[in-house]
Amino acid sequence: MPPSPLAPEHADDGEIPLYAARLNAPQREAVLTTEGPVLMLAGAGTGKTAALTARLAHLVATRRAWPSEILCVTFTNKAAREMRERVAHHLGEAVEGMPWLGTFHSIGAKMLRRHAELVGLQSNYTIIDTDDQLRLLKQLIADNDLDEKRWPARQLAGLIDRWKNKGLNPEDLDAVENEGYANGRGQQFYRLYQDRLKALNACDFGDLLLHMLNVFRRERDVLAHYQQRFKYILVDEYQDTNQVQYLWLRLLAQERKNICVVGDDDQSIYSWRGAEVANILRFEKDFPGAHVVRLEQNYRSTPHILGAASGLIDANSQRLGKSLWTEVDGGDKVRVIGVWDAPEEARRVGEEIERLEREGAPLDRIAILVRAQYQTREFEDRFIQIGLNYRIVGGFRFYERAEIRDALAYLRVIAQPQDDLAFERIYNQPKRGLGAKTLEKMHQHARRTGLPLAAATLQLADSDELPARAANTIGGLMRQFLAWREQAEKATPAELLRTVLEETGYNAMLQAEKTAEASGRLENLSELARAMEEYETLGDFLEHVSLVMDNEAGDDREKVTIMTIHAAKGLEFDNVFLPGWEEGVFPSQRALDEGGLASLEEERRLAYVAITRARRRCTILHAANRRIYGQWTSSIPSRFVGELPADHVEEETTLTGGASLWRAGMSEREDPFAHVATSRPERSGSRGPGWQRALSTGYDATPRRVRETTRSAASFAAKPRTDVTVGQRVFHDKFGYGTVTGQEGNRLEIAFEQAGTKRVIDSFVTLA
């Protein structure tokens, strides 16, 4: 008969449960040490999930607690689901339910349903998403006569999220926090937002824990109830907890102190979303006498990979300390390759992957991990050229990102005014106050006249069909397109793009948001401009984009994985390539400027995470030169390259660089392109000014190529109606009845009985 699910499943010696016998000694120690606070300090690839799950199973199997008496917190629903499945495997199906196993948010929501009235809500409250939050904040900004362009709702949303992650209510904000929005009105808008949420019987995700933290602080009987209910508390990825999560957990654990946290201070890489590495560093201070178990045996990587990663992370001062080791023998050293520039970096990685593929390595087990999303563009372009299958994980392919699509749409309309899809995407992006009704008018007139959307819009702007404000806005946009088309005849494609992004206010829109996401989008646009430096004409570049976008994304063939290091945490690959290890790229200059030493140590932890994703081979690359805004700049290898232990590294470079640069204490190098002129000769052959000329020339985009076409301007001219003449009485849906007093082509001047004299387009009227 199978063993009882609520009794220990014993090994042959009759003492150690089978699920614990399968573990190594430190893992088993973490499972069997059930009483008191326990810190399971688990290095990368050391089997922390197996240990944590076995501990949960052990608590139930030995009847120390019923499943409903254990609080087990994870960071993702996937982790919670996998843990529930593993516990079921250990104990059998007779164990029903783990009601308090889930994410912070799911558990917080469950508690809040029971105590909603204590924070001014009803139990059937709604949890709003990001879109609803932004819409609500925009309403509050408008109601209080604040300029949303100067103080974007997205910036306020980011601040409120940060305050809630810190456990701060509106009344808790100090002068510095209050100054973060609208020159000292942060507290006011935070309070207005919270009041509005209560009026709607709603909360956002940040409230799920903040409300319960407030309840625990004010209602001691509620706190006592949960302290008695939860005999044991288990927390996964403790190094990623933010302040409100930390305070919430600490209150719940203070009575029994049977809390076991699992984490790795060397893998704390999410401070930008509120995580505080200090939470795990001070665990022993928060819970005196805590039992610390170090999981150091790695089951993933080779000795050289572990040696390189451990030597690198040793440079951090704020860490608890551990040394990874493995029983695996041999393996290649970590390779550090110096290349001339970013295109060569992509070529070299492509060649290495093709070699691995010839040797039988599956593409699905190869990854390229980048520090910033904009770095993916170079590899995507190269892999398209050589026919190497790839996937972008944790984000969109470079040319599919929203800001890139917006920029390309502007360029497509400049190149081909007949591109209705592109024009519709950007006619109100950034926001110009042109709503759905205006777009409907534009489409109606385009259908009536057979004109492209841009041409139809221009006609509408030159009539009284639209409100004056909308007509002026559209007219201004059309004049901009005319100017950009003139510039396209003389400037480089990259110069044209930068002009468009500045003159439309697109860059200003992102800069005003003051968020990490907006900064990343600006970096992507800068990379797009850099990519365009390689093309002589706008048509050549748009052809290239068409080829890239035509890359098959839906097939099920093996593909190389391209992703950011942040997104790769928790994953592993046989072969890992780490490009861009240069000062200013990795470590990120923005991170250093904003966070100083603390950010440097987090960047180093990120490097540690990157290296430890590799199972068999790890290759680090750095370029001597990067092209930024069309100018070559000299780069030096990342300081992290110099911190890698020489015994575990093999350098491959023909350049003066690599680890030797940092070991020699070098901090700068001469620009090798200082003598090269970067200006380009002006191109001749302007086709002449005029919007009609602009309409007559463009690019016919196809999936594989873009060809220049010409079209007679006359072909776009709508033919006037023959049944409408001067003196004719007509009817207009908006202006009512009137008499035609003048006619020029398809434009009519009409004296309306109620609205006065207006200029309208003949397709908008019917005979009275």
Side-chain angles (χ1 to χ4, degrees):
M1 294 180 63
S4 167
L6 296 181
E9 194 179 46
H10 292 290
D12 294 339
D13 61 6
E15 295 181 0
I16 301 176
L18 188 58
Y19 50 75
R22 298 187 181 114
L23 306 175
N24 63 36
Q27 289 173 325
R28 192 180 309 126
E29 180 185 353
V31 169
L32 301 180
T33 306
T34 59
E35 306 308 305
V38 175
L39 169 59
M40 198 188 307
L41 200 60
T46 57
K48 58 105 175 169
T49 302
L52 183 64
T53 306
R55 179 183 175 89
L56 179 57
H58 183 65
L59 294 174
V60 176
T62 57
R63 294 194 172 96
R64 284 176 167 80
W66 293 103
S68 61
E69 295 174 321
I70 301 173
L71 172 63
C72 185
V73 188
T74 66
F75 268 83
T76 66
N77 289 314
K78 178 183 177 183
R81 183 172 60 253
E82 289 178 351
M83 188 170 295
R84 187 175 279 107
E85 291 171 353
R86 289 195 186 194
V87 171
H89 173 73
H90 285 318
L91 301 180
E93 296 181 358
V95 176
E96 293 293 336
M98 295 288 294
W100 300 103
L101 190 165
T103 64
F104 278 102
H105 285 144
S106 65
I107 293 171
K110 182 179 293 187
M111 288 182 174
L112 188 56
R113 294 285 179 198
R114 301 182 179 189
H115 307 285
E117 72 282 354
L118 296 177
V119 294
L121 297 173
Q122 301 173 33
S123 60
N124 64 340
Y125 64 83
T126 300
I127 304 173
I128 66 172
D129 59 19
T130 302
D131 288 342
D132 288 335
Q133 181 187 31
L134 289 175
R135 195 156 40 244
L136 177 54
L137 290 174
K138 287 179 180 179
Q139 293 173 4
L140 294 175
I141 291 169
D143 291 344
N144 287 270
D145 298 323
L146 198 65
D147 184 0
E148 207 265 336
K149 290 184 178 179
R150 183 178 179 187
W151 302 104
R154 194 174 297 276
Q155 178 192 355
L156 179 57
L159 285 170
I160 290 175
D161 184 59
R162 190 184 78 187
W163 293 330
K164 291 183 178 182
N165 285 342
K166 289 184 176 182
L168 299 176
N169 298 289
E171 60 272 17
D172 300 324
L173 298 188
D174 58 24
V176 175
E177 295 285 3
N178 189 38
E179 285 293 329
Y181 185 77
N183 298 324
R185 299 178 67 183
Q187 185 180 62
Q188 173 196 355
F189 277 94
Y190 186 9
R191 183 177 286 110
L192 288 171
Y193 173 66
Q194 293 300 98
D195 291 344
R196 182 62 177 150
L197 284 177
K198 288 183 181 179
L200 295 171
N201 191 34
C203 63
D204 60 24
F205 282 100
D207 286 324
L208 298 176
L209 286 183
L210 181 60
H211 279 327
M212 283 311 303
L213 179 62
N214 291 332
V215 169
F216 289 163
R217 285 168 164 171
R218 293 194 302 257
E219 310 291 336
R220 305 307 295 183
D221 57 328
V222 175
L223 175 60
H225 165 76
Y226 286 105
Q227 287 176 336
Q228 289 300 313
R229 166 182 284 276
F230 299 133
K231 292 184 178 180
Y232 296 92
I233 298 175
L234 287 73
V235 188
D236 194 13
E237 303 288 6
Y238 191 66
Q239 80 281 347
D240 291 335
T241 54
N242 59 34
Q243 184 72 358
V244 72
Q245 293 164 345
Y246 162 78
L247 294 172
W248 184 82
L249 285 167
R250 196 176 65 174
L251 283 173
L252 288 172
Q254 281 304 310
E255 180 68 22
R256 296 181 182 271
K257 295 183 171 57
N258 287 334
I259 180 172
C260 174
V261 302
V262 183
D264 184 1
D265 54 321
D266 292 335
Q267 296 189 74
S268 180
I269 58 174
Y270 296 116
S271 68
W272 48 275
R273 67 185 188 195
E276 295 191 13
V277 67
N279 294 343
I280 193 170
L281 296 177
R282 65 185 173 210
F283 183 81
E284 292 177 87
K285 182 178 180 180
D286 289 335
F287 297 95
H291 189 78
V292 179
V293 180
R294 284 176 167 79
L295 304 187
E296 298 174 311
Q297 183 177 357
N298 180 279
Y299 295 94
R300 175 188 300 159
S301 306
T302 65
H304 283 306
I305 291 172
L306 296 180
S310 296
L312 172 65
I313 201 64
D314 278 344
N316 271 7
S317 60
Q318 297 296 311
R319 61 188 300 259
L320 297 172
K322 59 188 173 303
S323 298
L324 299 182
W325 60 277
T326 179
E327 293 180 344
V328 176
D329 293 327
D332 296 339
K333 290 185 176 183
V334 172
R335 288 192 301 165
V336 176
I337 300 177
V339 295
W340 185 246
D341 57 14
E344 183 183 343
E345 181 179 62
R347 287 195 298 271
R348 181 65 186 268
V349 171
E351 291 168 0
E352 292 286 334
I353 292 175
E354 288 180 313
R355 178 182 61 79
L356 290 171
E357 188 177 22
R358 288 193 299 271
E359 294 173 358
L363 292 182
D364 283 347
R365 297 180 186 176
I366 300 174
I368 300 170
L369 308 183
V370 298
R371 173 61 183 87
Q373 286 189 339
Y374 72 85
Q375 292 176 261
T376 69
R377 201 276 310 168
E378 201 82 60
F379 295 98
E380 293 184 62
D381 286 359
R382 180 59 184 170
F383 292 174
I384 290 295
Q385 292 175 12
I386 64 177
L388 185 63
N389 297 320
Y390 70 91
R391 67 166 65 87
I392 301 292
V393 175
F396 295 102
R397 292 188 296 170
F398 183 81
Y399 293 107
E400 292 176 342
R401 291 163 187 157
E403 63 277 9
I404 302 300
R405 283 188 173 273
D406 288 343
L408 291 175
Y410 274 105
L411 297 175
R412 284 164 54 188
V413 176
I414 292 170
Q416 179 177 292
Q418 301 91 347
D419 193 332
D420 287 359
L421 292 177
F423 184 76
E424 183 175 345
R425 181 180 181 91
I426 50 83
Y427 83 99
N428 196 38
Q429 180 67 10
K431 301 298 182 185
R432 299 184 174 93
L434 302 175
K437 291 184 178 180
T438 301
L439 180 61
E440 183 180 357
K441 281 270 191 183
M442 290 157 51
H443 275 298
Q444 287 175 350
H445 185 54
R447 285 194 297 269
R448 289 190 184 110
T449 61
L451 289 171
L453 196 58
T457 300
L458 181 64
Q459 283 196 353
L460 283 176
D462 194 30
S463 73
D464 292 318
E465 299 290 346
L466 297 175
R469 180 181 175 185
N472 290 335
T473 299
I474 290 174
L477 179 60
M478 294 300 132
R479 287 190 294 274
Q480 283 185 310
F481 272 112
L482 176 59
W484 295 331
R485 193 163 288 104
E486 294 291 333
Q487 182 180 355
E489 302 298 330
K490 303 174 184 177
T492 66
E495 291 167 346
L496 175 64
L497 173 64
R498 294 181 186 118
T499 298
V500 170
L501 294 175
E502 287 299 322
E503 293 184 354
T504 57
Y506 202 100
N507 281 344
M509 174 187 71
L510 295 179
Q511 290 163 354
E513 288 184 14
K514 299 179 181 177
T515 63
E517 180 186 9
S519 296
R521 295 175 70 187
L522 284 167
E523 287 180 347
N524 290 338
L525 290 171
S526 295
E527 177 62 17
L528 177 64
R530 199 217 65 75
M532 294 176 70
E533 291 287 346
E534 302 172 12
Y535 296 87
E536 287 288 332
T537 68
L538 183 56
D540 291 340
F541 175 71
L542 292 176
E543 177 179 4
H544 166 74
V545 173
S546 296
L547 289 169
V548 173
M549 296 299 287
D550 196 44
N551 180 40
E552 292 295 331
D555 62 60
D556 55 359
R557 292 176 295 175
E558 290 184 352
K559 296 181 177 70
V560 176
T561 297
I562 306 176
M563 64 197 309
T564 65
I565 303 171
H566 281 102
K569 186 171 178 291
L571 303 179
E572 60 182 53
F573 302 90
D574 286 350
N575 299 279
V576 171
F577 293 88
L578 306 175
W581 280 44
E582 302 135 32
E583 287 294 300
V585 178
F586 193 30
S588 160
Q589 191 60 50
R590 188 177 76 237
L592 298 183
D593 292 342
E594 294 176 358
L597 180 60
S599 287
L600 173 61
E601 296 214 341
E602 177 157 332
E603 290 285 292
R604 189 176 285 112
R605 292 194 293 270
L606 190 59
Y608 170 85
V609 168
I611 294 173
T612 54
R613 298 311 93 196
R615 294 181 67 247
R616 299 179 60 190
R617 299 181 189 88
C618 178
T619 303
I620 296 170
L621 300 101
H622 60 88
N625 307 281
R626 290 277 174 186
R627 202 175 186 189
I628 302 174
Y629 296 115
Q631 302 293 323
W632 286 103
T633 59
S634 180
S635 302
I636 59 173
S638 168
R639 67 192 72 194
F640 302 151
V641 171
E643 293 168 355
L644 297 172
D647 292 344
H648 300 290
V649 172
E650 176 183 326
E651 288 195 67
E652 299 180 24
T653 177
T654 59
L655 304 171
T656 302
S660 59
L661 278 178
W662 272 98
R663 294 191 182 108
M666 292 186 65
S667 61
E668 61 182 10
R669 291 173 60 191
E670 181 183 354
D671 184 353
F673 286 93
H675 64 284
V676 179
T678 57
S679 60
R680 300 179 57 166
E682 281 194 17
R683 281 172 280 158
S684 59
S686 174
R687 300 184 182 94
W691 178 257
Q692 291 295 336
R693 187 270 306 163
L695 285 174
S696 69
T697 306
Y699 294 99
D700 180 19
T702 67
R704 287 288 179 185
R705 62 192 176 90
V706 179
R707 58 185 175 82
E708 192 170 359
T709 64
T710 59
R711 191 179 299 186
S712 170
S715 66
F716 289 100
K719 296 180 179 179
R721 289 173 56 175
T722 58
D723 59 340
V724 178
T725 59
V726 174
Q728 179 79 47
R729 193 164 187 266
V730 294
F731 178 78
H732 188 281
D733 288 339
K734 178 179 179 182
F735 302 125
Y737 290 98
T739 301
V740 178
T741 59
Q743 185 175 21
E744 181 181 351
N746 66 334
R747 291 182 176 83
L748 304 176
E749 184 177 276
I750 302 175
F752 289 99
E753 296 172 1
Q754 300 295 328
T757 301
K758 301 288 184 182
R759 290 176 303 155
V760 301
I761 299 167
D762 60 13
S763 61
F764 280 83
V765 302
T766 58
L767 299 180

